[in-house]
Amino acid sequence: MADINVWLALSWGGHPHSSTAWNWFRSLVDDDVLFCRFTQIGLLRLLTTKAVMGQDCLTVRKAWGVYDGWLRDPKVEFRNEPAEVDGLFRRATVPFSSTSAPKALGDCYLLASSQASSATLVTLDGGLHHLARKIGQDVLLLT
C-alpha cells in the first residue's frame, strides 16, 4: 500500500521524489500497489491543490483521470477497508490520546489499513516510518 506522498510522487513529475518513487515502482515484479479510500481522496485533494501543485494544479476532472489511469495499471488495485481497520486504527492512536495530533491520525489510519490488508506500507515520510517502527510495524521508507 502506497502512502499519499508516494502516489503524488508517482503521479506528478514535478514532485521532488518522483524519480525515487518511480525507481521503486518499476522494481516491483509480483507485488500489487494498493489504494485505499484515504489515499484515493488524498491524491485527488493534492492534485487539485494549487499550493502543492503550483502551475501544474489539476481540475477535479483531470485528477480523476490520473486516478483512473492508475487503476488501468495491472500492478495497481483499489482495496476496500477491511472490517478490522477500526480496531487497529483506534489502537494505533493510543499514544496520541492526550494530544492534538491531526497528522498522526492520518498516519495511524494508513498503518491500520495496511496492517488489516496484510500489505506493506510504502512511504517517503520519515516521521511515518519512525511511528511505524515505534509500534512494531514494518514500513518501507523510500530514500
Side-chain angles (χ1 to χ4, degrees), residues 2 7 14 19 31-34 45 48 62 81-82 87 98 101 103 107 116 122 127-129 132 134 139:
W7 282 118
S19 62
D31 297 319
D32 288 335
V33 184
L34 305 178
R45 180 179 54 82
T48 60
K62 287 183 180 178
E81 180 178 279
S98 63
K103 182 174 178 343
D107 290 350
V122 180
L128 175 54
H129 181 256
K134 212 165 141 179
V139 169

Side-chain angles (χ1 to χ4, degrees), residues 7 16 21 31 39 58-59 63 67 74 86 109-110 120 128 131-132 134:
W7 282 118
D31 297 319
T39 56
L58 302 181
T59 64
Y67 173 76
D86 189 62
Y109 178 82
L110 284 173
T120 300
L128 175 54
L131 172 61
K134 212 165 141 179

Side-chain angles (χ1 to χ4, degrees), residues 5-134:
N5 56 28
V6 174
W7 282 118
L8 183 62
L10 289 169
S11 300
W12 176 41
H15 191 284
H17 301 290
S18 184
S19 62
T20 299
W22 273 105
N23 288 339
W24 164 75
F25 190 82
R26 286 186 192 110
S27 75
L28 299 174
V29 179
D30 294 323
D31 297 319
D32 288 335
V33 184
L34 305 178
F35 271 103
C36 64
R37 186 67 65 198
F38 185 78
T39 56
Q40 174 202 47
I41 293 167
L43 176 64
L44 294 170
R45 180 179 54 82
L46 292 176
L47 288 172
T48 60
T49 301
K50 189 160 184 73
V52 173
M53 299 292 292
Q55 296 298 334
D56 297 331
C57 186
L58 302 181
T59 64
V60 172
R61 179 179 302 134
K62 287 183 180 178
W64 274 114
V66 170
Y67 173 76
D68 291 339
W70 281 117
L71 293 183
R72 287 190 291 275
D73 189 303
K75 290 188 214 179
V76 176
E77 175 186 333
F78 176 87
R79 176 103 23 113
N80 283 312
E81 180 178 279
E84 59 272 18
V85 165
D86 189 62
L88 293 168
F89 179 36
R90 288 172 183 268
R91 258 188 307 250
T93 64
V94 167
F96 305 98
S97 59
S98 63
T99 65
S100 172
K103 182 174 178 343
L105 289 170
D107 290 350
C108 289
Y109 178 82
L110 284 173
L111 290 167
S113 185
S114 65
Q115 185 178 4
S117 298
S118 298
T120 300
L121 183 60
V122 180
T123 188
L124 294 160
D125 183 344
L128 175 54
H129 181 256
H130 178 73
L131 172 61
R133 292 182 57 100
K134 212 165 141 179

